[in-house]
Amino acid sequence: MRALYPGSFDPLTLGHLDLIERASGLFEAVVVAVLQNPSKTPAFSLEQRLTQIRSATGRLTNVEVGIFDGLTVQYARSCGAQVILRGLRALSDFEFELQIAHTNKSLAPDIETVFLATATQHSFLSSSVVKEVARFGGDVRHMVPTGVADDLSRLLNRSTPEP
Ligand code: ADP
């Protein structure tokens, strides 16, 4: 069975990566797909996010990377995924995730949403927390893959005004 793991991944965190690694052991293939969302202004371009995911998952031979816009269920069909994979960190994720899962089920009854619980050590991690900590000069190397930590320092250095 193939699983689609959709998200913003702005940027990829070790929480996302842990989910991808565990899912790659459970499913024949995992398609990690970055949502192109015109209503959000991301910190990282689509290309940067794809590169971050590709380099962090390169050793996992059954992980594919893609981009999509529009309905997740439509993209799931087009890439042959029978499962949409999402992560749960806390009760606060639950309400939103359950609503999306029901919506997707109503649109595509043949596609199942599967939730994986976060790893305990990553339960506090989100892309926004990572960006917030990095913006204020905090060390994020225990939160993101090395490539992402480098991208974050480049991003923040660039946006620092010239003296
Ligand atoms: P979205 O904008 O679609 O929520 P995210 O990139 O924030 O995109 O998250 C994608 C998925 O990964 C969501 O299901 C989210 O709950 C899950 N996720 C995010 N961070 C973690 C984490 N630390 N542990 C487990 N799952 C996570």
Side-chain angles (χ1 to χ4, degrees):
M1 211 173 262
R2 288 167 67 80
L4 168 66
Y5 181 31
S8 309
F9 306 110
D10 185 38
L12 181 76
T13 69
L14 291 181
H16 295 129
L17 187 57
D18 170 69
L19 225 71
I20 298 169
E21 282 166 355
R22 284 153 62 204
S24 88
L26 293 171
F27 297 98
E28 260 162 58
V30 179
V31 182
V32 184
V34 182
L35 172 66
Q36 196 170 9
N37 187 346
S39 59
K40 273 190 191 172
T41 310
F44 293 101
S45 70
L46 277 174
E47 264 322 308
Q48 281 175 310
R49 284 177 278 164
L50 284 179
T51 307
Q52 289 168 354
I53 300 169
R54 279 204 191 100
S55 59
T57 62
R59 73 211 135 81
L60 303 168
T61 51
N62 63 344
V63 172
E64 301 162 26
V65 182
I67 299 177
F68 77 108
D69 57 10
L71 292 177
T72 308
V73 288
Q74 247 162 29
Y75 184 70
R77 285 228 173 85
S78 76
C79 61
Q82 300 87 348
V83 163
I84 294 172
L85 176 73
R86 297 286 289 178
L88 288 176
R89 281 162 294 191
L91 199 58
S92 48
D93 281 339
F94 185 76
E95 206 172 331
F96 174 69
E97 292 293 342
L98 195 65
Q99 186 183 22
I100 297 179
H102 285 307
T103 306
N104 285 337
K105 191 75 178 166
S106 76
L107 296 169
D110 52 317
I111 296 177
E112 293 292 347
T113 298
V114 168
F115 296 106
L116 282 182
T118 182
T120 316
Q121 71 272 27
H122 298 138
S123 56
F124 66 100
L125 270 184
S126 70
S127 300
S128 355
V129 159
V130 165
K131 284 182 282 195
E132 193 79 357
V133 172
R135 191 170 299 132
F136 292 110
D139 190 358
V140 292
R141 281 172 300 177
H142 59 300
M143 302 182 186
V144 291
T146 321
V148 175
D150 295 343
D151 283 352
L152 276 162
S153 6
R154 268 192 296 272
L155 179 81
L156 295 164
N157 285 338
R158 244 208 321 273
S159 55
T160 307
E162 297 283 325

